[in-house]
Amino acid sequence: MNPSQAPAAGPLRRMCWIFPDRESTRMAETWHGMFWDLYAEVAADLGLSWTRHSPDAVTVDCTDPARTRVYVDDEPVTPHDTLFITALYSLPYQQMDVFNQYALCAVLQQAGFYLPFPPETSLIGNDKLATLLHLGGSPIPPVPTVRIGTGRDVSRHLYEVALGNMTYPAIVKPAGWCGGGGINLARSAGDIRGLAGLAQGGDTTLVVQPYLGDGTVDHRVYVIDGAPHTVLKRTPEPGSPVSNATHGGTLEFTPVPEELAKATSYFAERLRIPFFCVDFLHDGQRFWFSELEPDGVIPRVPTDPDRAVQRAVVRARFTAYRDAHARHLAAEAAAEADGEADGGAEADGGAPLSTTPKETS
């Protein structure tokens, strides 16, 4: 065994990432080199496996409700040895998978598996306005946002009733995509009409936000076990409103700015999950809270040539998953023991040991 390797603490042996299997050959190759292969390597260093599976790879046998059996690609898995990473993905070519993803999350949760992203958290993170409403008390103010649907009546422009306070130019983008896809600059309400008409073709819900100006820099804070770990700073090309690397933005890992570090405790209190990312925009004068990414990518960065920082963030993330899984099992065991004790007391004719619900998380 490599000296850097360490056996996993507890019974966890496998992390299964549920991801719609619809990537193109080109993009799959890109993601392998950027993060997928490294994720598997870091997991192996921790004595774990990390594998990707489409929702249909999971089969559940509940013919005996007292003994539910779950299989991944025909291999049996249990809540003790496996956790499922179930962040919701809803890019255009994944739309047909959205319900299957979300339903599978619910099934696995009910079957007792630990999910780093419970179904409700995944939904909050997938819709940009749901994110801002859920985290509306943020000490760093959210970007002002209007959410509009683009169904069959979009040509009547009924959504314009909500645009009275919008300033221009404005950013128009899908409410639930990721990776910088679909971001456009609208210089008038007329531009929004045109973009909404195009979005109608895919029933794509949009959000409209004031443009913070050229040179606005994105700061992604990786929050692990409730504390800020590292920032991925993304700077757009001159004149571009999009900072993602796939749109020409430059990436670098940096220390966490003090202002963002102070704000992290609020987000960690509202999102009691072991790993998530919060995106903040800096317009040259101040920070704005922009987005939540429960499964934010940890990419390969040119200024981290030996991938030491990327590897450290991934390792901290997977270690947090392992520890949270162990806590989940301990809480389940404690709840089961308490339930048996309560039942025993009642069977003996005594009063229940407690009349209040048990805390299990």
Side-chain angles (χ1 to χ4, degrees), residues 86 99-112 115 117-119:
T86 53
F99 179 77
N100 282 340
Q101 289 180 81
Y102 192 57
L104 179 60
C105 294
V107 168
L108 293 172
Q109 186 181 53
Q110 294 303 312
L115 308 181
F117 315 125

Side-chain angles (χ1 to χ4, degrees), residues 12 15 38-44 46 48 50 83 85 224 275 298 313-323:
L12 182 65
M15 295 182 291
L38 184 91
Y39 286 5
E41 290 173 15
V42 173
L46 293 170
L48 305 170
W50 180 91
L83 65 77
I85 302 168
I224 303 176
F275 170 86
I298 307 168
V313 178
V314 175
R315 186 182 180 91
R317 174 183 180 177
F318 289 173
T319 300
Y321 285 171
R322 184 189 64 189
D323 295 345

